[in-house]
Amino acid sequence: MDIQHEDNGSKGRYYTIVEGHEAEMTYSRASAQLVIIDHTGVPDALRGKGVGQALAAHAVEEARKGGWKIMPLCPFFRAQSLRHKEWSDVVNA
């Protein structure tokens, strides 16, 4: 899955287009070391296909590469972080 990134400094998003539908995970940068994941949007046509999970895993990998932490305000991302204890190095639950 090809995940793209848009960043305007204080806000950004990860997004992908699958089967003609766009899914996204948005964030706000609280500081150089902290990003707040605030929304995950996956169209009904893509539900159950692992798109949201792929966006969440991508955000975690980006946090590891960038050396910052994630605060999960988004209910979907928070639920995923509770299922994936291996993300605890970057997720402030």
Side-chain angles (χ1 to χ4, degrees):
M1 188 174 310
D2 183 33
I3 297 176
Q4 303 294 315
H5 183 209
E6 290 178 357
D7 187 353
N8 73 9
S10 62
K11 293 191 177 285
R13 73 182 188 130
Y14 300 109
Y15 68 97
T16 188
I17 297 174
V18 177
E19 299 172 5
H21 302 280
E22 184 178 274
E24 71 174 357
M25 178 171 286
T26 61
Y27 64 85
S28 298
R29 186 166 291 283
S31 71
Q33 292 79 33
L34 182 65
V35 165
I36 300 167
I37 302 280
D38 50 29
H39 171 73
T40 302
V42 176
D44 288 342
L46 299 179
R47 295 205 188 269
K49 297 185 177 192
V51 177
Q53 169 65 32
L55 290 168
H58 184 79
V60 167
E61 287 307 311
E62 290 296 303
R64 286 180 176 143
K65 283 193 270 183
W68 34 270
K69 300 286 186 181
I70 297 173
M71 179 180 293
L73 290 187
C74 167
F76 173 81
F77 189 91
R78 179 157 174 73
Q80 289 297 311
S81 69
L82 293 173
R83 287 188 195 117
H84 293 274
K85 300 298 183 195
E86 70 274 16
W87 295 356
S88 65
D89 60 318
V90 294
V91 177
N92 290 341

